[in-house]
Amino acid sequence: MVAAELARHHDAVACLGVVIRGGTPHFEYVASEVAKGVGQAAFSASCAVTFGVLTCDTVEQAVDRAGVKSGNKGADAAVACLEMANLHARLPGKKK
């Protein structure tokens, strides 16, 4: 809902976050609904909306993927968002 609302007022929205697995199947539901919600926002938006939500088994894995060992997945998603916004602006019929 927030991504969809932000997309109404901005040229790009990068959805960043992490869902960390716990001891219940709740992780599966939350991760699925996050992906579905961001996807719906992207589909209906008139701007770039990218998905940069990590799904990790542990806090350590999340930290590693957020810039320690495995690159910075959030930064990668933000760069992809900017690239998509630039591409979107170049599509026919868009104001320059």
Side-chain angles (χ1 to χ4, degrees), residues 26-41:
H26 192 245
F27 169 87
E28 314 297 344
Y29 305 132
V30 172
S32 177
E33 291 302 311
V34 168
K36 187 186 330 179
V38 174
Q40 287 174 340

Side-chain angles (χ1 to χ4, degrees), residues 2-3 12-13 16 23 28 41 48 50 69 71 74 84 86 93:
V2 173
V13 177
L16 307 177
E28 314 297 344
T50 58
K69 291 183 182 176
M84 290 301 297
N86 286 332

